[in-house]
Amino acid sequence: MLGSFFNIDGGYLEGLCRGFKCGILKQADYLNLVQCETLEDLKLHLQGTDYGNFLANEPSPLAVSVIDDKLREKLVIEFQHMRNHAVEPLSTFLDFITYSYMIDNIILLITGTLHQRPISELIPKCHPLGSFEQMEAIHVAATPAELYNAVLVDTPLAPFFVDCISEQDLDEMNIEIIRNTLYKAYLEAFFAFCKDLGGTTAESMCEILAFEADRRAIIITINSFGTELTKDDRVKLYPKVGKLYPDGLAALARADDYEQVKAVAEYYAEYRALFEGAGNNPGEKTLEDKFFEHEVRFNIVTLPTTVF
Amino acid sequence: MSGKERLAIFPSRGAQMLMKARLKGAQKGHSLLKKKADALQMRFRQILGKIIETKTLMGEVMKEAAFSLAEAKFTTGSGFNDNILQNVEKAKFKIRTKKDNVAGVTLPVFESYQDGGDTYEFTGLARGGQQFAKLKKNYHKAVVLLVELASLQTSFVTLDEVIKITNRRVNAIEHVIIPRIERTLAYIVSELDELEREEFYRLKKIQDKKRIARKKTEDAKAALQKSGVVLEQPANMLDEQDKDLLF
């Protein structure tokens, strides 16, 4: 009987979502786009798809950055529409999606403030999906620690900072390390939330998040070879919500080169398959490409498959 | 263009010697300058060839670099650009200037060197790290090539100037200085000849006059002798007339 109560809260948004899904560009559209010679051709082709006239008011000559901005604007408008119509728990779910953009924005703002850039320069560069009310107030802080105490404590991201970063860490750590630590906390929180919701959400989302966690652990390990990142620091960046937790992560923490990482992945069937075809020679797909494809496959599965 | 000009100088043997020396000097200078111009031209052509080569290579490298930028943007979302821009503090890639000497012309040469480690080694740690590494490598290659191209082009421009100047000087010596000196020499020689001729003519005239004067006195003497009056005039001391030693 749960199905009959679903439409009260989610019916409108589900309909909207299916509509959006049908509007996604298909293979035929991509073939057409590949045939285009200029940006004007691209605009013409896009007018025939669901993207419609989003570029209609732009003066020619078109620039790639303009198209990029307009596409992002369209996405943001649609997302915010859905967010505005959502109730619990969907609203929290959508908020979680925005947190990853918020993390990026905060990192950008911290970096900018550290280098004394004026706040008016930084705000337009933030991703609109990740904006939060206290963004304007960031310029009062001079160091990341001050920033945290004054501003970040009130944002929804505060718990992520609390779990793993102390005040001195903020000042000393490399900005990218901070970003990855925050992201780890975010993934774990998202995972816990989805699991609580149970049902189909838990099934599909937990799969995706587990894969994301594992993928991050593997990629961080591989990318940290040859850099100053120590093994202990590395362990702090591994999210604990994937299939690799706890044994795989421990093994990864000890790994020194690509072969050892591959050996760890051998224990997990789907990851072994990904390592098979990857390589660094031109013409072969790199490991990251393969991970990407795998993730996309997951996402396709979660899309509603009912034909109507 | 100067036509029949020559140097204003008093024609004398000394002046002639001077002019001969100057002519020799001008000719030596001309051949030396010509050698310099030829050496510079050779270097110029060499540089031109290298510039063409580097520019075509540059086109390909930039294309590859731009494409790897698009790949990195695709993998990580386009926010990293701003992050990197914000993080810029000190230049990690610097240029030194050195001087290179070609046939007396100093050409500036730029040499690039890395200063300090890689501040961005953690960018894309969790996602797109390989793309970033490729991107960094490609753009590094592009910048190195750009520096090389810059030093080639500055030397090209400098050499061009110097070659123009040297050629101008060579032509000036060949078409103005040397002809002028030659004309001056010719003038001096002609003047000297004329002076000689004048001297000669003067002497001849004096000789003639002397001959006529002698003839006159002898005629007068003969006439007197004929008329029977022999006037032996004693030598007059006051009437000293030294016979010309020459004639």
Side-chain angles (χ1 to χ4, degrees), chain A residues 117 125 179 216 223 288, chain B residues 82-83 86 125-126 128 130:
Chain A
R117 309 263 186 249
K125 301 200 175 162
R179 181 208 296 272
R216 283 185 86 86
N223 284 339
E288 301 206 10
Chain B
D82 299 309
N83 261 318
Q86 301 300 337
L125 188 60
Q130 280 171 322

Side-chain angles (χ1 to χ4, degrees), chain A residues 79-262:
Chain A
F79 186 86
Q80 287 189 333
H81 182 77
M82 293 189 74
R83 176 71 187 78
N84 290 334
H85 283 266
V87 291
E88 291 295 333
L90 182 60
S91 46
T92 320
F93 187 82
L94 289 176
D95 280 337
F96 262 106
I97 295 184
T98 62
Y99 290 165
S100 71
Y101 296 105
M102 252 189 239
I103 291 179
D104 284 335
N105 286 350
I106 286 185
I107 298 291
L108 179 67
L109 291 169
I110 293 180
T111 321
T113 323
L114 271 183
H115 292 259
Q116 272 91 37
R117 309 263 186 249
I119 200 74
S120 43
E121 250 183 54
L122 298 172
I123 297 287
K125 301 200 175 162
C126 289
H127 198 286
L129 274 182
S131 60
F132 50 97
E133 295 108 40
Q134 297 84 357
M135 250 171 30
E136 305 283 330
I138 300 235
H139 65 283
V140 298
T143 72
E146 258 182 54
L147 190 72
Y148 176 71
N149 282 329
V151 175
L152 297 174
V153 132
D154 294 322
T155 66
L157 296 183
F160 303 150
F161 279 90
V162 163
D163 283 338
C164 35
I165 305 185
S166 72
E167 213 173 296
Q168 328 152 275
D169 284 340
L170 264 180
D171 276 330
E172 289 170 1
M173 259 202 256
N174 187 300
I175 200 77
E176 292 292 324
I177 308 287
I178 298 183
R179 181 208 296 272
N180 285 311
T181 320
L182 283 178
Y183 205 86
K184 162 196 175 218
Y186 157 69
L187 268 184
E188 289 173 359
F190 202 178
F191 189 86
F193 175 73
C194 291
K195 227 179 168 79
D196 277 341
L197 285 182
T200 355
T201 317
E203 271 171 41
S204 27
M205 280 312 294
C206 290
E207 278 283 322
I208 296 181
L209 290 173
F211 175 71
E212 178 71 17
D214 290 335
R215 168 218 219 191
R216 283 185 86 86
I218 294 179
I219 299 280
I220 287 177
T221 317
I222 294 183
N223 284 339
S224 61
F225 295 143
T227 69
E228 285 173 3
L229 194 61
T230 65
K231 292 195 181 153
D232 301 319
D233 284 333
R234 214 158 71 193
V235 171
K236 288 193 235 159
L237 300 178
Y238 295 154
K240 295 192 183 52
V241 293
K243 295 201 183 66
L244 286 174
Y245 175 74
D247 308 313
L249 288 184
L252 274 181
R254 288 193 302 268
D256 272 321
D257 60 40
Y258 184 77
E259 292 302 316
Q260 288 181 5
V261 173
K262 194 163 169 177

Side-chain angles (χ1 to χ4, degrees), chain B residues 1-242:
Chain B
M1 201 53 205
S2 44
K4 302 286 170 208
E5 266 182 28
R6 56 175 162 75
L7 295 165
I9 185 171
F10 184 74
S12 66
R13 291 222 187 271
Q16 188 188 24
M17 288 287 108
L18 211 74
M19 281 297 122
K20 275 209 184 130
R22 269 172 81 165
L23 182 66
K24 195 142 172 291
Q27 278 165 342
K28 192 84 205 292
H30 174 262
S31 71
L32 281 176
L33 265 183
K34 198 116 187 20
K35 280 205 194 100
K36 173 173 171 175
D38 288 340
L40 290 175
Q41 274 282 17
M42 213 173 68
R43 185 56 181 259
F44 190 70
R45 266 179 229 290
Q46 238 180 28
I47 289 187
L48 183 64
K50 268 213 288 201
I51 285 187
I52 293 178
E53 206 183 290
T54 315
K55 277 198 176 162
T56 32
L57 190 62
M58 186 82 227
E60 287 166 21
V61 168
M62 281 307 276
K63 206 163 59 162
E64 212 182 298
F67 193 65
S68 62
L69 177 66
E71 277 183 356
K73 275 197 184 168
F74 175 65
T75 324
T76 53
S78 43
F80 70 89
N81 220 2
D82 299 309
N83 261 318
I84 295 187
L85 281 172
Q86 301 300 337
N87 246 333
V88 168
E89 318 168 7
K90 209 170 66 126
K92 289 286 179 304
F93 186 87
K94 300 202 177 131
I95 301 186
R96 273 193 284 252
T97 44
K98 288 214 297 228
K99 297 233 182 272
D100 190 23
N101 191 314
V102 173
V105 180
T106 50
L107 300 173
V109 169
F110 300 125
E111 189 188 290
S112 59
Y113 64 99
Q114 293 260 51
D115 180 25
D118 191 1
T119 26
Y120 302 112
E121 59 181 358
F122 291 142
T123 319
L125 188 60
R127 198 177 167 137
Q130 280 171 322
Q131 262 80 353
F132 273 112
K134 200 164 71 156
L135 178 67
K136 276 192 277 196
K137 205 170 61 147
N138 279 339
Y139 268 103
H140 181 84
K141 226 174 17 176
V143 174
V144 163
L145 217 64
L146 267 175
V147 166
E148 222 180 277
L149 195 61
S151 50
L152 280 176
Q153 282 202 264
T154 30
S155 6
F156 187 78
V157 166
T158 324
L159 260 184
D160 193 35
E161 285 279 333
V162 175
I163 285 183
K164 278 207 191 73
I165 292 178
T166 317
N167 277 337
R168 233 178 272 146
R169 287 200 193 131
V170 168
N171 287 337
I173 295 186
E174 199 178 305
H175 296 288
V176 177
I177 307 277
I178 290 189
R180 202 190 292 167
I181 296 185
E182 283 174 345
R183 260 180 250 125
T184 318
L185 254 179
Y187 161 72
I188 293 178
V189 164
S190 73
E191 284 295 303
L192 284 176
D193 277 345
E194 204 175 310
L195 280 173
E196 241 185 78
R197 259 178 276 134
E198 275 179 12
E199 271 308 305
F200 198 59
Y201 176 74
R202 230 179 271 135
L203 277 164
K204 277 283 181 232
K205 197 75 179 194
I206 291 181
Q207 263 188 330
D208 265 351
K209 280 246 155 67
K210 274 233 170 97
R211 206 179 350 114
I212 294 176
R214 220 182 306 145
K215 202 152 174 238
K216 237 168 91 187
T217 47
E218 281 196 15
D219 282 345
K221 236 188 182 165
L224 272 178
Q225 271 191 330
K226 241 176 145 179
S227 60
V229 178
V230 179
L231 276 169
E232 282 283 347
Q233 278 203 330
N236 196 343
M237 272 200 14
L238 295 170
D239 214 1
E240 284 269 354
Q241 267 186 4
D242 277 328

